[in-house]
Amino acid sequence: MKPLYYKIYLLLLFTISGNYQLQAQSCKEDIKQKLQDPAIETLYAKTFHSLLDRMDHTNGYLPESLTGAYIGMYPRTTGAFVFLLMETGHYDLAELNLRYVLESVKANGLERIPHVLEKGMRIHSDEHQIDGQAHVILGWARLALARGVTAFEEETWPIVSKLMTRTCDRTFFQYGSWSIEPGLIRNIAFEHSRDFRRWDVWDLLTQCFVGAALTDMIKVAARHNSPQLIADWTQKRQILSEGINKHLVVQRDGLPTYAEMMLPNGNGGDTYHGMGWVTLSPIAAGWCTDTAIVRNTVAYMNRHFLQTTNGIRWMPTDIYPDGSFINEVIGKGIGWELDFARTENDFKRVLEILELIKASNAGKDIYMEFAWLEGDGYKHNDRITKEDALKMKDMKWTSRDAGNGEQSSWWCWAMARLRKAVGLPARPIQME
């Protein structure tokens, strides 16, 4: 009888597996069809080509804004833009954009990445945003690992390796025995949507992008015969991981989840229990201390804060510790959610996000920076509650800064990866 039970077990297993595969294939076809919806396909194509067309193909300069909302080129955007260019096979353009940033650093005698650049490699803002520096380093390292050794890598390795070392020395990487040293990277000017201001914090995004940069730079250092750098960066990554787990992981619904940031208080610091696009940053960086914590974080946000308005499901840009949130969505946050849903085979959530993209960009040819629900006294960046959200029956989506470089690059990156996953080309056609 034992062989009979075994055969029945195998039959059931194969049947369940076969049904799941058929269901998954059906869902992928639904997603593929949705991606070819003229509204979504046109939005992606025009946004993608607006990024490529606005970049100066002689030197790599990329204006951040098409509307004039932001002046100059933002090196932080280079990280996302390089990721997108790699997904679509534009390696030479990725190198060109990185070259502009690195040449600007050398031309101005800097030892760090500035906040905003202008044409002619002039500096518009020399504000020190360490997360932007990590974006550039990570983009450079990912390109190097994707292509193999190139003349560009050999030429720029000295400056990028110094930038990596500078990023995790004790100027900003506060580790040691003092109570003010939590083993985290301090960002003295974190450019946040929360309250639309700079924050002096140890934020999760900075930690993840530095951790990712260290991970990939260690691999590049191996082929440059740099054992001392490998040892130093490996140790720094371990300290950083311990700092994150100690100070930026909190229990929610009985499970470990990521906190948004820790605020300095002159001593040990206070963990800030807010959530939002910042707590999705491990998805963008492709690095975290534990993927299970990322899953717990997203699951918690979906259970408690995913809103529905006129049939459209949307995740607030910023969620406060008291449970209130902002009545808007942010472009890159949507992209990061989309990519996570893809990796988790959460087909239902992918389709919901695609519907949100249609609704929040309605009437627009190019993807937005922010979109928000407006009407009946509610306006941009209002702090609301779940009770408010339930009353928002006839609200209209309004958006700003269509074509914003950072938001568009992250969204197009997620779209390129999703399109490839369902058998569509990552590169969209050029539309009139």
Side-chain angles (χ1 to χ4, degrees):
M1 293 298 290
K2 186 175 181 181
L4 178 61
Y5 288 137
Y6 183 65
K7 289 178 182 178
I8 293 172
Y9 170 76
L10 285 179
L11 180 62
L12 287 172
L13 185 65
F14 289 144
T15 301
I16 293 170
S17 176
N19 288 338
Y20 174 79
Q21 290 177 5
L22 287 172
Q23 184 180 11
Q25 187 60 37
S26 176
C27 290
K28 283 187 176 181
E29 285 300 318
D30 291 341
I31 293 169
K32 184 176 182 178
Q33 185 175 356
K34 178 62 68 176
L35 287 169
Q36 295 175 92
D37 180 321
I40 293 178
E41 193 162 42
T42 300
L43 184 71
Y44 175 57
K46 291 196 171 184
T47 302
F48 176 84
H49 286 291
S50 80
L51 288 165
L52 263 62
D53 293 346
R54 84 177 75 164
M55 188 179 84
D56 188 328
H57 287 216
T58 65
N59 60 22
Y61 176 80
L62 179 75
E64 177 67 12
S65 180
L66 296 174
T67 67
Y70 299 93
I71 304 300
M73 171 181 169
Y74 281 59
R76 182 200 296 111
T77 297
T78 289
F81 191 48
V82 166
F83 286 5
L84 169 61
L85 293 173
M86 289 172 59
E87 288 292 337
T88 53
H90 292 92
Y91 295 106
D92 290 345
L93 295 182
E95 175 184 312
L96 194 62
N97 188 247
L98 283 162
R99 183 179 290 279
Y100 190 87
V101 177
L102 298 177
E103 290 292 334
S104 297
V105 169
K106 289 196 293 185
N108 290 279
L110 295 178
E111 58 176 11
R112 59 183 175 82
I113 304 292
H115 174 219
V116 185
L117 297 170
E118 294 180 3
K119 291 181 178 180
M121 299 184 182
R122 296 186 300 273
I123 297 175
H124 179 78
S125 169
D126 66 355
E127 184 178 34
H128 203 339
Q129 295 182 336
I130 199 74
D131 61 311
Q133 181 159 298
H135 276 63
V136 174
I137 298 169
L138 181 58
W140 182 92
R142 292 267 167 92
L143 181 64
L145 293 173
R147 291 197 300 182
V149 179
T150 61
F152 173 69
E153 177 187 332
E154 295 286 1
E155 175 192 347
T156 54
W157 163 251
I159 186 173
V160 178
S161 58
K162 287 179 181 177
L163 286 169
M164 184 77 265
T165 297
R166 192 77 174 99
T167 299
C168 54
D169 67 19
R170 289 180 71 182
T171 306
F172 287 97
F173 190 13
Q174 298 175 323
Y175 65 93
S177 57
W178 297 102
S179 61
I180 60 168
E181 297 173 322
L184 298 171
I185 308 290
R186 181 83 165 263
N187 193 334
I188 60 173
F190 183 48
E191 197 166 341
H192 206 335
S193 57
R194 188 180 295 281
D195 302 338
F196 273 98
R197 68 175 177 86
R198 304 288 196 266
W199 289 66
D200 179 5
V201 293
W202 296 283
D203 64 281
L204 182 64
L205 181 142
T206 296
Q207 316 314 312
C208 289
F209 273 87
V210 172
L214 284 167
T215 297
D216 286 0
M217 287 294 284
I218 288 168
K219 298 172 187 175
V220 180
R223 64 194 194 199
H224 286 270
N225 193 26
S226 304
Q228 187 173 349
L229 288 179
I230 293 172
D232 179 55
W233 294 345
T234 300
Q235 181 188 30
K236 297 291 178 59
R237 185 180 57 182
Q238 180 61 33
I239 295 170
L240 180 65
S241 297
E242 292 170 359
I244 293 170
N245 288 334
K246 184 176 181 180
H247 300 288
L248 291 175
V249 174
V250 299
Q251 294 290 314
R252 296 185 176 101
D253 286 353
L255 294 171
T257 61
Y258 283 117
E260 185 177 83
M261 50 192 176
M262 189 166 78
L263 309 179
N265 60 9
N267 190 19
D270 298 311
T271 299
Y272 185 84
H273 289 240
M275 304 188 85
W277 64 268
V278 175
T279 43
L280 300 175
S281 53
I283 300 163
W287 185 90
C288 63
T289 56
D290 188 341
T291 54
I293 300 177
V294 179
R295 291 190 178 96
N296 294 342
T297 302
V298 175
Y300 182 90
M301 291 172 67
N302 287 341
R303 279 196 305 273
H304 294 278
F305 296 107
L306 196 57
Q307 306 300 312
T308 304
T309 304
N310 295 333
I312 300 298
R313 303 272 279 170
W314 58 280
M315 181 63 69
T317 295
D318 294 309
I319 301 159
Y320 289 85
D322 65 1
S324 61
F325 48 87
I326 300 300
N327 67 322
E328 71 175 16
V329 292
I330 188 170
K332 59 187 174 186
I334 291 174
W336 298 351
E337 278 194 279
L338 186 64
D339 195 62
F340 180 78
R342 176 192 63 81
T343 61
E344 295 293 298
N345 290 322
D346 189 346
F347 306 116
K348 178 176 179 289
R349 185 72 189 113
V350 168
L351 290 169
E352 288 175 350
I353 295 170
L354 291 175
E355 285 297 327
L356 169 62
I357 290 165
K358 277 186 65 176
S360 58
N361 288 276
K364 305 290 184 181
D365 286 335
I366 300 179
Y367 192 69
M368 52 72 191
E369 177 188 19
F370 291 101
W372 62 93
L373 288 161
E374 188 164 300
D376 295 334
Y378 296 102
K379 58 186 184 302
H380 182 218
N381 209 238
D382 270 353
R383 185 168 169 176
I384 64 173
T385 63
K386 293 178 183 178
E387 288 70 29
D388 290 312
L390 290 172
K391 299 174 186 176
M392 301 168 95
K393 301 296 185 183
D394 300 311
M395 310 298 288
K396 301 297 182 184
W397 286 101
T398 305
S399 62
R400 77 170 200 180
D401 198 32
N404 178 274
E406 182 184 12
Q407 314 300 325
S408 294
S409 294
W410 279 120
W411 177 67
C412 285
W413 166 78
M415 288 289 286
R417 287 157 68 90
L418 179 60
R419 286 171 63 88
K420 286 196 288 188
V422 298
L424 292 173
R427 293 191 192 187
I429 61 171
Q430 179 85 52
M431 292 192 173
E432 295 296 331

